[in-house]
Amino acid sequence: MGKTLHDAGVVVTGAGGGIGAALARRFAAEGARVVVNDLDPAKAEAVAEEIGAIPLPGDASTVVAEARTALGGSVDVYCANAGLGSGGGPDADEDVWAAAWDVNVMAHVRAARELLPGWLERGHGRFVSTVSAAGLLSMVGAAPYSVTKHGALAFAEWLSLTYRHRGIHVHAICPQGVRTDMLRAAGSAGELLLAPSAIEPEQVADALFAGMAEDRFLILPHPEAGAYYAARATEPDTWLTSMNHLQQKWEATQ
């Protein structure tokens, strides 16, 4: 994998901290030329300076064309990592739902729309989607996040099943709790459900690189999430009952 990535053009969105910064650091350490994208210019510039990368602040939805130019004409790996951890239920504001959909799903769609023509012409390309275990399972207290992360997983699956015979590699990273600002912002639900088994962002990067070496679609930094995913598929009522118990436990803390 290291030889494959040497001098590769890599874009990581939401790379000003957390998982995105860990991914950017790891790709740079492997010899890739990295574009660090983040809405916060100071954060993007700080990470880029640290690892010798190219800072590109701005909206993840519109970064591809400028990143391609910055990398000398081509993007080899695109990490759709930027995300919103929106909480609430059906009562959440329309703006909250719209923003979650735009960032967690449509930014991935827009990036793929820009990237695929060149990748298909060359016969190779790699799309990495940071989905989270919420896309495999769900998240108590966070309907917009859960629903849109399911959408992100569905889109990554569609890309893989449609283009894998044409040299397009797709990976969906689905961690549970990761010690990032997003986990801290998740409040009591995150503290109850995710914090006890939370891992460091660098462990997520390790899991991705192990998965890329084996060309695996599903990247599970918390391996137990695979068992939960299987239970959800084969025993949905049992799984929903167990999740409802967690919901009740969380409600008791409010």
Side-chain angles (χ1 to χ4, degrees), residues 10-140:
V10 178
V11 179
V12 185
T13 67
I19 293 173
L23 295 178
R25 291 185 183 105
R26 183 62 183 272
F27 278 108
E30 295 289 336
R33 294 172 296 114
V34 180
V35 165
V36 175
N37 164 257
D38 199 274
L39 272 177
D40 187 322
K43 289 182 177 180
E45 289 164 10
V47 173
E49 183 177 0
E50 173 197 337
I51 64 176
I54 303 164
L56 189 56
D59 189 339
S61 285
T62 60
V63 73
V64 173
E66 194 173 348
R68 185 188 289 121
T69 299
L71 290 168
S74 66
V75 174
D76 300 296
V77 181
Y78 187 87
C79 297
N81 173 77
L84 285 179
S86 308
D91 57 328
D93 289 346
E94 287 284 324
D95 288 349
V96 171
W97 280 94
W101 180 255
D102 193 65
V103 175
N104 294 346
V105 181
M106 290 308 300
H108 299 202
V109 174
R110 294 181 190 115
R113 185 185 296 147
E114 288 281 333
L115 293 163
L116 280 168
W119 284 357
L120 293 171
E121 183 178 349
R122 298 200 317 262
H124 63 87
R126 192 176 299 272
F127 193 96
V128 179
S129 175
T130 301
V131 173
S132 109
L136 292 176
L137 307 167
S138 195
M139 178 59 190
V140 165

Side-chain angles (χ1 to χ4, degrees), residues 24-25 37-38 104 118 146 165 176 197 203 206 244:
R25 291 185 183 105
N37 164 257
D38 199 274
N104 294 346
S146 299
H165 67 295
Q176 294 179 159
S197 63
Q203 292 173 270
D206 290 343
N244 180 252

Side-chain angles (χ1 to χ4, degrees), residues 7 44 83 88 120 171 210 217:
D7 206 39
L120 293 171
H171 309 279
F217 169 76

